[in-house]
Amino acid sequence: MSWEKNVRKVEPYVAGEQPKDRDVIKLNTNECPYPPAPGVKKLAETLDCDRLRLYPDMNAEKLVNALADYYHVAPEQVFVGVGSDDVLALAFMTFFNGEKPVLFPDITYSFYDVWAQLFRIPYEQCPLDENFRIKKQDYLKPNGGIVIPNPNAPTGVLEDRDLFEEILAANPESVVIVDEAYVDFGGKSMIPFIHKYDNLMVVQTFSKSRAMAGIRIGFAIANERLIGYLKDVKFSFNSYTLNMPSIEMGTEAVRDDAYFKEIVGRIIKTREWTKKEMGRLGFEFQDSQSNFLFVTHRKVKAEEIFLALKENHIYVRHWKKPRIDNYLRITIGTDEQMQRLIEFLEKYLKEKSDD
Ligand code: PMP
């Protein structure tokens, strides 16, 4: 059709499947297997619906203040959005307007190249080494910005904070985004370094360690000037992003630190058990410090295992992409879910080797 020449054409991001069937063991989108903090449930049950007549607080002050307190930063250094996807998309739009390419790893969160294409941002993907590690020198060349998750996804590999310090110090003219969606599962946050590097933006989410993927809250912490620019773009786009129940429930989740630490601790324990079992079954993987494992089997193709699991109502993630098509990303569920996964794999792999 003739109007199509004026359409902004993009190849959209493909999220993991959300099956309708509730009996599935769902290990495909890195959600938390535990419910949100008890106070969040209480708030949901006692929500004053009359208040929904009114617009929410466009600055989400309550939530921003709770996060500022928790992370020992000023409220002016905090930005909240509808999931970290919202925060990251706005950050791409706000900070990556140079002529030089934005840099990110070749194996990484598959939304980055989609945003770059959507916003017409030139980009270059820097190949990870054979152990899925970041090669520092790739990020020391001229660039229009840098974005790296730590731990990286879908590899689960955690890099030391020194690496990011070196990248930040070498790139004072670029905004460097560290996407810490999975940092609570064993990493150390770069948040304290926002006081040292005015070009650093740290992004985190409530979707994984705070068990609230359904509520959609993400946030950025950075120097107030950076946050100010991000707010200017947000308020030129959509003022009322977070809704009132999200602001209330998010605030409650941040306040219950004991529950947060308890569920994160449980997931880490289950992850370490799963690593041992997967190793025993002939899987190989890097040492994940996130809430998922990225595994390949010595003998059986990943796609075959993926399909067999799916047929048996266990969902994991598989990408038909260069370098990673023989890998599966498996979210850490409850102990019981992981036991069922291991039992199935043990039987399945034994039958295959008997063939
Ligand atoms: N960054 C990374 C590395 C992720 O894996 C995800 C989860 N898909 C996100 C950001 C976005 O998470 P959310 O929008 O749920 O906060």
Side-chain angles (χ1 to χ4, degrees), residues 208-225:
K208 321 289 175 184
S209 54
R210 294 190 186 275
M212 293 172 83
I215 207 107
R216 313 301 300 128
I217 303 176
F219 60 96
I221 297 192
N223 173 282
E224 46 267 48
R225 244 180 126 102

Side-chain angles (χ1 to χ4, degrees), residues 60-327:
E61 228 171 85
K62 215 169 160 177
L63 179 59
V64 164
N65 288 340
L67 286 166
D69 265 4
Y70 190 82
Y71 290 104
H72 309 295
V73 296
E76 295 74 29
Q77 294 169 326
V78 181
F79 178 88
V80 289
V82 185
S84 50
D85 282 342
D86 180 41
V87 177
L88 287 161
L90 278 170
F92 270 57
M93 206 196 293
T94 310
F95 302 119
F96 298 158
N97 288 288
E99 316 256 290
K100 292 178 200 142
V102 166
L103 307 177
F104 47 87
D106 64 335
I107 305 172
T108 196
Y109 186 32
S110 51
F111 226 139
Y112 299 157
D113 55 339
V114 175
W115 286 316
Q117 284 162 32
L118 175 65
F119 299 131
R120 316 258 159 90
I121 299 166
Y123 66 96
E124 201 179 304
Q125 293 180 271
C126 308
L128 298 178
D129 76 11
E130 65 285 2
N131 297 316
F132 294 157
R133 305 301 300 253
I134 303 272
K135 289 188 280 175
K136 185 182 70 193
Q137 63 275 20
D138 289 348
Y139 298 89
L140 304 182
K141 59 186 168 207
N143 65 77
I146 293 173
V147 51
I148 304 175
N150 197 40
N152 196 5
T155 63
V157 174
L158 179 80
E159 298 290 352
D160 203 83
R161 290 192 293 185
D162 292 348
L163 172 92
F164 291 93
E165 274 225 66
E166 285 182 56
I167 292 174
L168 280 157
N171 289 284
E173 288 179 14
S174 301
V175 171
V176 177
I177 301 177
V178 184
D179 179 351
E180 295 187 339
Y182 303 102
V183 78
D184 296 325
F185 301 104
K188 281 203 174 127
S189 176
M190 286 299 288
I191 290 174
F193 291 90
I194 66 152
H195 306 294
K196 189 167 173 191
Y197 300 100
D198 59 14
N199 56 332
L200 164 66
M201 188 172 110
V202 180
V203 178
Q204 292 194 12
T205 176
F206 281 49
S207 299
K208 321 289 175 184
S209 54
R210 294 190 186 275
M212 293 172 83
I215 207 107
R216 313 301 300 128
I217 303 176
F219 60 96
I221 297 192
N223 173 282
E224 46 267 48
R225 244 180 126 102
L226 252 155
I227 295 296
Y229 282 121
L230 199 54
K231 282 185 188 164
D232 288 348
V233 170
K234 175 237 157 110
F235 287 114
S236 310
F237 199 73
N238 181 1
S239 304
Y240 302 105
T241 48
L242 265 79
N243 60 55
M244 184 271 277
S246 301
I247 296 170
E248 297 290 334
M249 292 180 203
T251 306
E252 187 56 37
V254 179
R255 286 181 182 153
D256 196 343
D257 196 36
Y259 181 80
F260 165 70
K261 291 201 168 111
E262 185 198 321
I263 58 171
V264 165
R266 269 203 251 171
I267 292 166
I268 291 172
K269 215 166 139 214
T270 311
R271 177 188 72 206
E272 295 309 308
W273 177 85
T274 310
K275 280 181 190 169
K276 282 201 201 100
E277 292 295 301
M278 297 296 281
R280 183 174 66 79
L281 297 181
F283 286 93
E284 289 174 348
F285 44 89
Q286 300 300 328
D287 186 33
S288 168
Q289 291 297 309
S290 56
N291 68 337
F292 56 84
L293 300 184
F294 194 54
V295 305
T296 186
H297 195 267
R298 282 196 209 108
K299 298 203 177 111
V300 188
K301 285 253 168 311
E303 191 172 10
E304 257 182 74
I305 304 175
F306 168 77
L307 293 171
L309 284 167
K310 192 165 176 184
E311 220 177 279
N312 285 275
H313 311 286
I314 301 175
Y315 282 44
V316 300
R317 195 89 202 262
H318 174 250
W319 288 270
K320 286 185 188 173
K321 279 190 173 176
R323 288 192 81 186
I324 60 168
D325 63 349
N326 202 23
Y327 281 81

